[in-house]
Amino acid sequence: MIKLSSVGSLFAILFTITTISCTQPKPKRVINFPETNLVEENLIPKPLEIISTNDGFALDKYTAIYTSKDVEGFEEVGNFLADKIKSKTGIEVPVNIDTITTIETVINIRKSDTLDQNLPEAYQLHIAQDTITLHSSTATGAFRGIQTLRQIIPEMSNDTLTKNKVWVIPTGKIIDSPQFEYRGAMLDVARHFFAVEDVKKYIDVLSYYKFNVLHLHLTDDQGWRIEIKSWPKLTEIGGSTEVGGKSGGFYTQEEYTDIVNYAAARHILIVPEIDMPGHTNAASVSYPFLNGNGKTPKLYKGTRVGFSTFDTKKDTVYAFIDDVIREVAAITPGPYFHIGGDESLVTKKKDYIYFVNKVEKIVQKYGKRMIGWDEVANADISSSSISQHWRGKKNTQVAVSKGMKIIMSPAEKAYLDMKYDSLSKYGLDWVGHIPTDTAYIWTPESYVPLKSIMGIEAPLWSETISDIDELEYLAFPRAIGYAEIGWTVQENRNWEDYKVRLANQGPFLERMNVKYYPSPLIDWKTKQGMQKIKK
Ligand code: TNX
């Protein structure tokens, strides 16, 4: 307690108080925000828990981002967010700059050890009037969290609240983590080749919806798309054409690494697939000793499946496979290697089993965990390998009984290459049509017990699509629904509620120049439409 013994000391105290307050930042603005509701934001995937506090956070030219600096990846997450805020609003938000004196609101992105370490993608977002705090125990979790933040930054600023433009972010709390650890999309670059730029654009949109895997189907009958330095003819010959007969293409190892790094910056893993022993015509044309179907292989431009096989009995074939897996594994930082294994219709069953057993060992020798399409479960493989369910319910039961983990890609629900309906411009229909609601309304655990499911994946086979616009027509909007099935628990998924949130993805997809299929089931919102409402 201070005793005031004289008027002099009272003056001294008053003087001190005034000087202290003069060195403080200017008084905080008082903004009277309109009532907000965080719970009603159009978030996809829907988070685990949302609590609204109905106030506003002003994102504007007085906002700054600060991140943990001593933990790998956090500052990059802050920079990524700043970049996305710039492209959505035009505002340049400084990241980790301590010398600015005009800051009014702050976004803090921090590592928190109190969040469960076993949930590497969990995050918590606290939005208060002056501060947004994003906590995660990993940079990956923080990256997922900033996607949530990106989604709740409004399309348009409020220009009447204060002197400058303000983007009002609703306040509250989001507690979130994914249901499945593997949330993938697959792109077939073998039937038609897609350039590095196209793949990057696909990755950009997938990462906004919290996908964490892109599986690249790199080889098939019609094309071999990844450079193998020890076997150069694979791409020289095997990569030269594609379905329909136009010239094909391939990724050099450098280009593949560029894709891997681009994906890694978005916390997405690349899973490479070298499909075998079937779907190997392009390899056998390049090096005919590989061929096991007794015919002379020729470049193939059609779409029929199931006619090719490696010769499963030759040691030289396994020496070749060893080289391929070694080279691809060396440029793939992720833990998985996909060996295909589907539709080997001209490989005898006992030869197929012998083949998969041997190839699994090679994959393991190069430090990777094997994934194969559901047929591989019939081989004598280890429970650490993973089976990808696409068609064979019996195969998947066998995999479950062997203790293998399953990636769910049931063709009748999750195949992005199926037509939406009979009017679809592209796509196949061997398993039927998959409209936008059918793609969303299903649950992986109705096929196999939850504990066996590692996650889900939506494959996009490319027999009928040859450029990025066609790719986007089949992938969007359905892939957005698969993002939610992979992330959000069943109790929080509901078509009627989802369909409104999906409609509101219109402005984002427009901004990204994504040529999505405007499904008539959805009342699409556009940025132009929103501007009209505002006026
Ligand atoms: C089946 S799914 C295939 C692919 C085709 C696809 C077309 C799977 C493992 N194999 O080779 O491209 O159908 O929908």
Side-chain angles (χ1 to χ4, degrees):
M1 207 166 96
I2 308 169
K3 258 193 182 171
L4 299 179
S5 54
S6 69
V7 178
S9 49
L10 178 62
F11 267 111
I13 290 169
L14 279 178
F15 178 78
T16 325
I17 291 172
T18 353
T19 6
I20 290 172
S21 59
C22 284
T23 59
Q24 293 296 304
K26 62 182 162 86
K28 290 271 173 221
R29 293 175 295 181
V30 179
I31 300 179
N32 288 317
F33 292 102
E35 187 166 309
T36 65
N37 193 347
L38 188 59
V39 172
E40 280 171 12
E41 287 294 311
N42 297 301
L43 288 165
I44 301 180
K46 185 134 190 141
L48 205 52
E49 210 182 319
I50 311 177
I51 301 154
S52 302
T53 51
N54 311 105
D55 214 325
F57 170 99
L59 170 69
D60 63 6
K61 60 181 177 182
Y62 303 118
T63 306
I65 296 174
Y66 296 99
T67 72
S68 296
K69 282 194 265 191
D70 45 350
V71 203
E72 211 188 309
F74 275 73
E75 187 157 24
E76 286 82 349
V77 170
N79 287 329
F80 190 94
L81 177 62
D83 194 45
K84 297 304 169 193
I85 291 176
K86 171 100 202 291
S87 51
K88 187 166 186 177
T89 65
I91 300 171
E92 301 223 21
V93 182
V95 181
N96 290 340
I97 300 180
D98 294 324
T99 50
I100 309 173
T101 53
T102 53
I103 297 310
E104 300 268 354
T105 56
V106 166
I107 303 172
N108 266 313
I109 304 174
R110 303 273 171 208
K111 177 176 162 68
S112 159
D113 292 322
T114 54
L115 280 181
D116 197 333
Q117 299 288 340
N118 296 324
L119 299 171
E121 297 183 271
Y123 69 90
Q124 292 192 2
L125 196 56
H126 295 233
I127 306 164
Q129 262 219 13
D130 303 327
T131 316
I132 293 178
T133 312
L134 170 60
H135 275 148
S136 177
S137 60
T138 65
T140 302
F143 187 81
R144 305 296 173 234
I146 63 163
Q147 307 316 312
T148 303
L149 198 47
R150 285 173 72 189
Q151 293 191 10
I152 56 180
I153 297 172
E155 282 303 319
M156 274 164 298
S157 58
N158 188 321
D159 305 347
T160 55
L161 280 177
T162 177
K163 278 184 229 122
N164 58 288
K165 283 175 188 290
V166 167
W167 280 258
V168 179
I169 299 183
T171 59
K173 190 169 171 180
I174 293 179
I175 299 168
D176 203 8
S177 68
Q179 145 126 306
F180 294 117
E181 64 177 273
Y182 186 110
R183 302 176 308 281
M186 187 214 83
L187 179 62
D188 171 8
V189 295
R191 269 52 177 273
H192 282 100
F193 182 64
F194 291 87
V196 172
E197 291 314 309
D198 297 339
V199 178
K200 286 183 176 173
K201 189 178 174 201
Y202 196 32
I203 290 173
D204 277 333
V205 185
L206 295 173
S207 69
Y208 185 73
Y209 296 107
K210 304 189 174 79
F211 276 89
N212 66 357
V213 170
L214 177 65
H215 161 188
L216 290 174
H217 181 77
L218 291 166
T219 66
D220 212 302
D221 291 322
Q222 298 88 343
W224 185 285
R225 309 296 180 206
I226 177 78
E227 174 190 25
I228 304 296
K229 293 191 196 280
S230 51
W231 299 88
K233 285 188 199 161
L234 287 169
T235 44
E236 269 166 40
I237 298 173
S240 63
T241 56
E242 60 180 17
V243 166
K246 288 213 184 108
S247 70
F250 65 92
Y251 306 124
T252 61
Q253 293 201 359
E254 253 178 22
E255 286 169 330
Y256 175 83
T257 301
D258 184 26
I259 294 173
V260 164
N261 292 341
Y262 191 85
R266 284 146 189 81
H267 296 264
I268 287 184
L269 281 180
I270 297 295
V271 173
E273 178 186 349
I274 305 293
D275 200 353
M276 51 195 162
H279 291 272
T280 44
N281 180 69
S284 292
V285 182
S286 315
Y287 294 102
F289 80 90
L290 296 168
N291 188 30
N293 75 2
K295 300 184 183 139
T296 307
K298 294 196 288 283
L299 287 169
Y300 182 61
K301 299 156 196 168
T303 56
R304 215 166 17 94
V305 296
F307 63 88
S308 58
T309 184
F310 277 157
D311 185 334
T312 57
K313 300 204 176 83
K314 283 188 191 146
D315 288 344
T316 46
V317 170
Y318 296 101
F320 163 85
I321 292 170
D322 191 291
D323 284 338
V324 170
I325 295 180
R326 174 176 48 76
E327 288 198 30
V328 176
I331 52 175
T332 303
Y336 308 114
F337 194 103
H338 203 305
I339 66 148
D342 57 315
E343 299 172 319
S344 291
L345 307 183
V346 294
T347 322
K348 290 203 182 89
K349 186 154 188 201
K350 72 171 186 3
D351 296 343
Y352 176 86
I353 290 173
Y354 175 75
F355 179 87
V356 172
N357 290 348
K358 284 192 71 112
V359 173
E360 183 198 45
K361 297 282 169 305
I362 302 174
V363 169
Q364 290 169 347
K365 177 172 125 193
Y366 291 110
K368 303 290 179 197
R369 225 176 133 180
M370 187 186 93
I371 307 179
W373 297 106
D374 59 50
E375 290 94 322
V376 298
N378 297 305
D380 308 316
I381 49 183
S382 97
S383 62
S384 66
S385 292
I386 298 148
S387 173
Q388 182 164 9
H389 171 79
W390 67 282
R391 192 110 210 259
K393 293 210 169 98
K394 268 201 195 138
N395 296 336
T396 301
Q397 291 315 325
V398 173
V400 170
S401 70
K402 287 185 174 170
M404 296 170 74
K405 286 276 186 263
I406 314 291
I407 297 168
M408 292 303 302
S409 304
E412 68 282 8
K413 298 288 182 188
Y415 265 30
L416 285 168
D417 64 315
M418 289 300 124
K419 290 184 169 179
Y420 291 91
D421 58 30
S422 59
L423 300 173
S424 279
K425 287 194 271 178
Y426 312 102
L428 300 171
D429 58 7
W430 63 263
V431 74
H433 296 147
I434 307 186
T436 307
D437 52 353
T438 304
Y440 179 80
I441 306 170
W442 64 282
T443 176
E445 54 270 40
S446 67
Y447 291 79
V448 280
L450 201 53
K451 65 173 178 1
S452 298
I453 303 175
M454 187 158 95
I456 81 158
E457 189 177 283
L460 180 46
W461 302 99
S462 64
E463 285 93 335
T464 67
I465 53 170
S466 59
D467 63 31
I468 182 77
D469 290 358
E470 297 170 3
L471 180 164
E472 289 169 353
Y473 175 93
L474 286 178
F476 300 109
R478 289 181 293 197
I480 301 173
Y482 301 132
E484 179 145 307
I485 296 173
W487 183 282
T488 307
V489 288
Q490 156 88 55
E491 303 81 82
N492 290 346
R493 299 200 307 264
N494 169 300
W495 166 251
E496 291 303 322
D497 166 71
Y498 170 73
K499 141 179 161 181
V500 177
R501 288 181 285 123
L502 179 59
N504 282 282
Q505 304 307 306
F508 167 73
L509 295 172
E510 260 174 64
R511 196 150 25 84
M512 295 293 287
N513 190 26
V514 170
K515 306 277 190 327
Y516 65 95
Y517 162 66
S519 162
L521 301 175
I522 307 298
D523 180 17
W524 293 100
K525 302 284 179 282
T526 61
K527 185 149 185 184
Q528 212 187 4
M530 288 183 173
Q531 272 156 348
K532 273 195 202 132
I533 293 167
K534 203 183 161 201
K535 279 174 194 159

